[in-house]
Amino acid sequence: MRKHPTWTLADIPYASIEKTRIVDQTDWFYLLAGASFVETLSDLYARNLVEYFQENAAATAWLSKEWEQEEVQHGLALKAYVLQIWPDFDWERAYKGFVQAYMPFCQTDLLGPSQALEMASRCVVETGTASFYTMIQSASPEPVLRLLAGRIRADEVHHYKYFYKFFQAYQQQEKNSRWRIGRELWKRVSEVDQEDSYLAIKNAFEVKNPGQTFSGRDFAAFRERMGDWVSRHYPFEMAIKMLLKPISLPPALQKMALPLLKRSARKALAS
């Protein structure tokens, strides 16, 4: 276990940000502000997971001493970046609104039906974040953001490996079928962006645009605009391989399934 995060905000050259490359691109503002809210709330996610896995000293120590600290640092680093570019944005008010709206969706009793399946679900979440920051790193029009996204991506891949290790240990005890694991993974994939991303961007929008309301239709339009970034920069093959790993498919079957799953994922995410 790491004794501390491998980098700090002091390693990000905020003073060197090339603001003109990104300041007029509103969708980048919403994407980064929203991500900063979700990452900063990781202290709450961590408390829920520590409670759920409380009998596992190794897991709870890692969650509280490494995972939580690094995830919250991601949020603070993104917050600092956002405020360097858009200093008039009332980040604290928007974040407070996000926390209030999202709290009902972030409860311990909403976690997976078993400990192995919840660890598998956490692999889905880390797959999503690692893939998201890979896309940001590739698509970014601004060099410092590419550096920051690369730092966060490396942490998320590291976190995936830990969740997968804990999943394997619980799976040895529970012996869930591939079908049950796959069903739980699909459930978590289908829930991605249903609450946290929507509420994060909604609060960023409504604070930035006083008197205007952000609706589900606005979120759908935002996702549609993101479709071009996704189709050109999203690491589909990496994401699918990470998602499939807990199912432990035979290599030949995984090789056959990968092209079909890539096409399906590309169609779903870019639409």
Side-chain angles (χ1 to χ4, degrees):
M1 186 172 66
R2 297 172 177 169
K3 294 182 179 179
H4 52 76
T6 58
W7 57 277
T8 70
L9 270 65
D11 296 316
I12 308 302
Y14 291 105
S16 300
I17 294 173
E18 299 179 27
K19 297 181 182 181
T20 57
R21 290 178 175 266
I22 197 170
V23 67
D24 294 327
Q25 300 191 43
T26 306
D27 283 338
W28 274 107
F29 163 75
Y30 294 130
L31 193 70
L32 298 173
S36 73
F37 299 160
V38 174
E39 297 278 8
T40 303
L41 194 61
S42 293
D43 56 348
L44 176 59
Y45 309 144
R47 286 198 297 272
N48 289 345
L49 290 171
V50 166
E51 179 181 347
Y52 190 70
F53 295 104
Q54 58 186 295
E55 87 298 337
N56 187 330
T60 55
W62 177 76
L63 286 164
S64 59
K65 295 180 181 179
E66 181 176 320
W67 184 77
E68 177 184 352
Q69 291 183 33
E70 292 184 350
E71 293 291 331
V72 171
Q73 177 173 272
H74 299 166
L76 296 176
L78 289 164
K79 172 187 176 182
Y81 186 89
V82 167
L83 293 178
Q84 282 285 330
I85 308 294
W86 299 280
D88 294 334
F89 176 59
D90 191 345
W91 190 94
E92 296 293 344
R93 184 160 71 91
Y95 177 67
K96 183 177 179 181
F98 165 69
V99 172
Q100 184 176 3
Y102 187 62
M103 284 285 284
F105 300 102
C106 193
Q107 305 292 334
T108 305
D109 58 7
L110 297 177
L111 297 178
S114 77
Q115 291 174 315
L117 295 175
E118 178 56 32
M119 285 298 185
S121 294
R122 300 313 306 178
C123 289
V124 173
V125 175
E126 298 299 334
T127 296
T129 53
S131 301
F132 174 77
Y133 289 108
T134 300
M135 181 185 75
I136 295 301
Q137 184 180 20
S138 177
S140 171
E142 199 284 310
V144 175
L145 179 57
R146 286 197 293 271
L147 171 66
L148 175 56
R151 296 274 194 175
I152 298 176
R153 175 199 180 277
D155 287 346
E156 303 293 6
V157 171
H158 176 77
H159 297 165
Y160 174 95
K161 293 176 181 178
Y162 259 85
F163 281 117
Y164 180 71
K165 182 187 73 171
F166 289 127
F167 160 75
Q168 287 180 303
Y170 281 115
Q171 175 63 4
Q172 286 183 352
Q173 302 169 22
E174 296 181 18
K175 302 187 185 309
N176 295 288
S177 67
R178 288 192 179 108
W179 169 255
R180 192 177 186 204
I181 295 169
R183 184 175 60 184
E184 192 66 24
L185 296 180
W186 175 251
K187 177 184 175 184
R188 189 57 63 98
V189 167
S190 67
E191 292 172 351
V192 170
D193 288 340
Q194 285 189 359
E195 288 100 16
D196 55 354
S197 294
Y198 167 69
L199 291 172
I201 294 173
K202 173 182 171 66
N203 280 277
F205 177 92
E206 292 182 353
V207 168
K208 185 175 176 61
N209 302 279
Q212 297 186 42
T213 301
F214 187 83
S215 68
R217 183 177 297 179
D218 295 320
F219 186 59
F222 173 81
R223 287 176 60 91
E224 184 176 354
R225 294 194 301 274
M226 297 299 99
D228 180 58
W229 294 1
V230 170
S231 63
R232 291 190 292 124
H233 301 287
Y234 196 84
F236 289 99
E237 184 165 338
M238 180 192 87
I240 292 168
K241 287 180 177 179
M242 291 172 73
L243 285 173
L244 290 178
K245 196 169 183 179
I247 304 176
S248 297
L249 289 176
L253 181 56
Q254 178 163 318
K255 185 177 180 180
M256 291 174 57
L258 190 59
L260 175 62
L261 292 172
K262 282 176 64 177
R263 288 195 296 271
S264 299
R266 185 178 294 275
K267 182 177 180 181
L269 285 177
S271 61

